[in-house]
Amino acid sequence: VSTQSTGETFDRGFQKQGSTVAVKRPTSVQVTSKNVVISDKSGDAYSYDLVLSNRKYLLGHVSVVMDMVLTPDQKFLITCDRDEKIRVSQFPNCYNIESYLLGHEEYVLQILLLSPNILLSVGGDQKLLLWDLSSQTLLQTLSSSHGDYTSVTFSSPYLLTCNTRHVTVYKLSDNTLTQVSEHVSDHDVLNLAASDSRVMMLTREPKLESYQFSEGVMSSKSEVEGEFELGKCVDCALPEKKKVVRTAGFTEYFERKRKRIEEEALKETKQANLST
């Protein structure tokens, strides 16, 4: 998926199924057995078939969609945006909004499902919020003492969070997160991923570091060798926080955006009624 036409080829056992030029720059992708869902910087989300054709409008936010996730039963699409909101929409009829989860005071950077009914949200307010989706209630709030979160990952039952050079490991038990360990890297960490036995970290140098991971503790660092174009991965920055008062121009834009979202939702509703 890109905003420009490309002629890339694939090897290493991958077979290209399709391609598309996105409406705006993509921010998140979710894949099901039947659909590919793509959100973008304009605040919209679209559904495609598995060969990336037959685009269908799903929903719109008035600000950038930062991340999204589908529930395991694929009944709900959860999206978060630049304006502190987490929206739970019925899928694929996303004009039906199930609820909003409001608790952050800055942008919502990332959302993760830790279990079918437990959602974690990561905010620019330096907070982690743990939500119960079944009751739509806030279960727990964790605050960072090391600045903004840059990445989080989950390998059950462990949650790993990153704040620049600080990686903190939590364990999820009885719907509560408890800190298990902490690791301080020699370099700024941009992203991390975890499995049952290993943690991988991308640093700003750029380097790809590997750690053994057992019982929530990282150890035995090694650097991953290979031909990686890591330089393309490190040009990353967190969104600016709200310091500027919106001008009349922004107000007019958001009003146009709101009307377009309402028109798209009305069109989807009419189409759904006709099909029934």
Side-chain angles (χ1 to χ4, degrees), residues 1-5 19-29 38-42 44 46 48 52 55:
V1 179
S2 71
T3 52
Q4 299 178 350
S5 299
S19 64
T20 188
V21 177
V23 179
K24 295 289 184 179
R25 192 172 78 184
T27 58
S28 182
V29 177
I38 302 173
S39 64
D40 62 34
K41 282 202 69 176
S42 69
D44 296 327
Y46 296 88
Y48 299 77
L52 295 177
R55 184 177 71 215

Side-chain angles (χ1 to χ4, degrees), residues 2-276:
S2 71
T3 52
Q4 299 178 350
S5 299
T6 62
E8 294 184 21
T9 58
F10 297 87
D11 53 12
R12 299 182 184 180
F14 290 100
Q15 183 177 0
K16 183 177 177 179
Q17 297 296 312
S19 64
T20 188
V21 177
V23 179
K24 295 289 184 179
R25 192 172 78 184
T27 58
S28 182
V29 177
Q30 291 284 296
V31 181
T32 73
S33 59
K34 297 180 180 180
N35 306 96
V36 178
V37 182
I38 302 173
S39 64
D40 62 34
K41 282 202 69 176
S42 69
D44 296 327
Y46 296 88
S47 174
Y48 299 77
D49 59 25
L50 293 178
V51 294
L52 295 177
S53 61
N54 299 322
R55 184 177 71 215
K56 177 186 176 184
Y57 178 85
L58 291 178
L59 59 81
H61 288 240
V62 295
S63 62
V64 179
V65 174
M66 304 292 291
D67 198 12
M68 65 178 175
V69 65
L70 275 164
T71 55
D73 58 10
Q74 298 181 15
K75 290 184 177 180
F76 299 101
L77 177 65
I78 307 172
T79 50
C80 62
D81 67 20
R82 178 69 181 77
D83 287 335
E84 313 143 12
K85 295 189 300 298
I86 301 170
R87 169 177 163 175
V88 183
S89 307
Q90 295 182 17
F91 182 79
N93 300 321
C94 295
Y95 49 82
N96 292 320
I97 300 174
E98 188 75 9
S99 65
Y100 285 97
L101 305 177
L102 304 176
H104 286 287
E105 299 172 354
E106 279 290 348
Y107 61 82
V108 185
L109 177 68
Q110 191 174 351
I111 49 178
L112 286 174
L113 278 171
L114 306 190
S115 72
N117 288 316
I118 301 299
L119 179 78
L120 178 85
S121 58
V122 185
D125 50 7
Q126 302 180 3
K127 291 181 180 178
L128 300 174
L129 302 185
L130 199 64
W131 303 90
D132 184 337
L133 292 178
S134 59
S135 61
Q136 301 169 15
T137 56
L138 179 62
L139 298 175
Q140 187 179 8
T141 300
L142 295 171
S143 298
S144 167
S145 57
H146 303 296
D148 291 326
Y149 291 101
T150 56
S151 180
V152 299
T153 189
F154 183 67
S155 178
S156 183
Y158 296 105
L159 174 75
L160 290 82
T161 69
C162 176
N163 313 73
T164 313
R165 298 190 177 194
H166 293 265
V167 177
T168 307
V169 181
Y170 299 89
K171 184 175 183 179
L172 179 68
S173 179
D174 296 327
N175 295 339
T176 301
L177 290 169
T178 305
Q179 183 173 331
V180 175
S181 65
E182 189 173 50
H183 170 82
V184 180
S185 173
D186 296 330
H187 310 287
D188 290 352
V189 180
L190 299 180
N191 211 334
L192 72 166
S195 67
D196 292 341
S197 59
R198 192 157 297 277
V199 173
M200 306 291 289
M201 298 199 316
L202 172 66
T203 68
R204 193 174 291 279
E205 281 22 71
K207 292 182 179 179
L208 191 60
E209 297 178 345
S210 174
Y211 294 81
Q212 291 183 13
F213 187 57
S214 177
E215 300 296 326
V217 178
M218 297 168 56
S219 62
S220 302
K221 182 181 80 171
S222 61
E223 187 173 335
V224 179
E225 302 291 341
E227 296 181 3
F228 305 106
E229 296 186 72
L230 297 179
K232 295 182 179 180
C233 302
V234 300
D235 184 19
C236 117
L238 295 175
E240 291 185 1
K241 297 184 180 180
K242 295 182 178 178
K243 297 179 181 178
V244 180
V245 178
R246 289 172 179 157
T247 65
F250 278 106
T251 303
E252 292 170 3
Y253 166 77
F254 287 129
E255 181 62 20
R256 292 196 303 270
K257 174 78 174 181
R258 184 187 63 79
K259 288 181 179 179
R260 184 168 70 83
I261 292 172
E262 291 177 350
E263 290 170 358
E264 292 283 359
L266 181 60
K267 183 170 27 174
E268 292 290 339
T269 303
K270 289 180 178 179
Q271 291 177 350
N273 291 338
L274 289 174
S275 64
T276 56

